[in-house]
Amino acid sequence: MDGDPAVEPELDTFSLLLPLPYRVAIILVLGVWAWALNLHYLSILKIDVAGLIRYANRTTTNGPSYHLRTYHLATLLSIPLIISLLLFWTVTHGQASLVLVWDILPQSYLFLLAVFFILPLQRFSKAGRHRFLSTLKRVSIGGLAKAEDGKFGDILLADVLTSYAKVLGDLFVSGCMLLSSKYSSTAKPDRGCGGAYLVPIIISVPSLIRLRQCLIEFARGRGAMKVPGGSGASGWGWQHLANALKYSSAFPVIILSALQRGYDPNKLGMSEAGLFRLWLFFVFLNSFYSFYWDVAKDWDLTMFSSAQERNNPEHPWGLRRRTHFHAKEMYYGAIIIDLLLRCTWSLKLSPHLDHFNDLEGGIFAMEFLEVLRRWMWIFFRVETEWVRTNRGPAPDDILLGDFDRNKIDYD
């Protein structure tokens, strides 16, 4: 198990079983399976996800459904991953020296994964992969499509990237170690590879992307208000600045985490305990601000609204009048799970679990749980968007900025 004193200084037992490149690959493929499950369940509820994200390839009704195509893609990605893992375990026998030598196996799979998404193979969800790559290219520089061109899809993908921030950091570490003459990429991860602050910068990029998107939305909203007859309401655009502030709150957490890993009292002029307390303040702020936004803004629930709205007899306590998931327990369960998974950092406050996040197995578990949280979040975010689209957006909606309020019925 992790923490075994005989192997921890070099390779812990977990890393002998799942070296860093395989952990990255597993979570990337997991994301494809998760999206397939999102599409499948939402299609059962008659929610047109393709319509919401303006997916253009909707020319046939005879072919397989979108979720079946995605399951097919996920299966095609999983088969070589399983084969690669089984071969790796067979040739290494859990021996550290062999694990270090055979790093070519997991790296070959990562290369195959990248090639698979790039190659224009018609039978393997070509249109879907092309849409994903074109959207990724646009959002990677903080771009944002207009509402009619798939803005909701851009925002979904950019939010997913924030949940994959640490995975992207590990992907860079894996590649950096592969290219370095000092390491094997299956050795104990050196998260200082490339410099002490390069990995934190990479982890910050998804939040920077969403921050820029929020500022674009703010500029569009303010611009629309200045046009005679334009849509918008007084003060409405400031919601985007509040959302931008949420993403900005991640940067102090990332910076302070990096400073804690490379703590040097001679350079910082602050005690380690003081640095930890400062980190604790910002991580608390980021977690609960994000949790509030998930519930009140992304899911349009009334839990944090006024008592009159929260206790409205026309809907269950803390929810909303129109819901597409029929069981209210689903919403309450999602709220509780979201809160718990937003606060996994609290393990550091336990005297027995404070080092869990420093173990490779613990880091992988935290990355897995964040992807799981985002998977759950997508169900409710898409359901909310479907309700807004079919019933009209909420009066303070922060996404559908390109609508004409005179045409909306709020009954």
Side-chain angles (χ1 to χ4, degrees), residues 224-235:
M225 289 170 63
K226 294 178 182 179
V227 176
S231 63
S234 178

Side-chain angles (χ1 to χ4, degrees), residues 122-309:
Q122 185 66 44
R123 293 186 60 191
F124 303 144
S125 304
K126 177 184 175 182
R129 289 183 291 118
H130 180 267
R131 171 62 186 269
F132 170 76
L133 291 175
S134 62
T135 304
L136 181 62
K137 180 180 178 181
R138 181 169 56 248
V139 305
S140 64
I141 56 174
L144 185 65
K146 294 292 184 66
E148 63 272 15
D149 297 324
K151 179 173 66 175
F152 181 55
D154 285 14
I155 291 177
L156 275 184
L157 179 57
D159 271 323
V160 168
L161 289 177
T162 63
S163 292
Y164 270 85
K166 291 184 178 180
V167 180
L168 295 175
D170 281 350
L171 179 61
F172 169 79
V173 169
S174 174
C176 179
M177 293 175 65
L178 175 67
L179 298 175
S180 172
S181 59
K182 296 165 41 178
Y183 307 102
S184 163
S185 63
T186 49
K188 184 177 181 179
D190 177 12
R191 292 185 170 83
C193 188
Y197 298 106
L198 190 51
V199 171
I201 289 172
I202 292 171
I203 292 174
S204 300
V205 168
S207 294
L208 282 170
I209 289 172
R210 283 299 286 125
L211 171 61
R212 186 171 186 272
Q213 288 181 334
C214 292
L215 296 179
I216 290 173
E217 280 287 84
F218 173 74
R220 287 178 183 174
R222 303 302 289 181
M225 289 170 63
K226 294 178 182 179
V227 176
S231 63
S234 178
W236 169 83
W238 296 102
Q239 293 261 0
H240 295 298
L241 291 186
N243 199 18
L245 181 62
K246 180 192 73 173
Y247 292 104
S248 299
S249 69
F251 302 139
V253 178
I254 295 169
I255 293 169
L256 292 169
S257 295
L259 292 175
Q260 286 184 91
R261 281 194 296 270
Y263 176 70
D264 185 346
N266 298 321
K267 293 182 179 180
L268 289 179
M270 178 184 292
S271 69
E272 194 167 9
L275 186 63
F276 175 76
R277 285 193 290 269
L278 189 61
W279 171 85
L280 190 61
F281 169 78
F282 280 108
V283 76
F284 182 90
L285 176 66
N286 173 257
S287 296
F288 283 92
Y289 193 176
S290 299
F291 169 68
Y292 160 78
W293 204 272
D294 288 342
V295 174
K297 303 299 182 181
D298 289 339
W299 298 345
D300 284 353
L301 303 182
T302 60
M303 180 166 289
F304 298 112
S305 302
S306 65
Q308 180 179 1
E309 190 172 359

Side-chain angles (χ1 to χ4, degrees), residues 360-380:
E360 291 302 316
I363 293 172
F364 178 73
M366 293 298 102
E367 293 174 349
F368 174 84
L369 288 174
E370 174 55 22
V371 171
L372 182 66
R373 187 197 67 79
R374 182 62 65 183
W375 170 71
M376 179 197 72
W377 177 91
I378 287 175
F379 282 115
F380 292 88

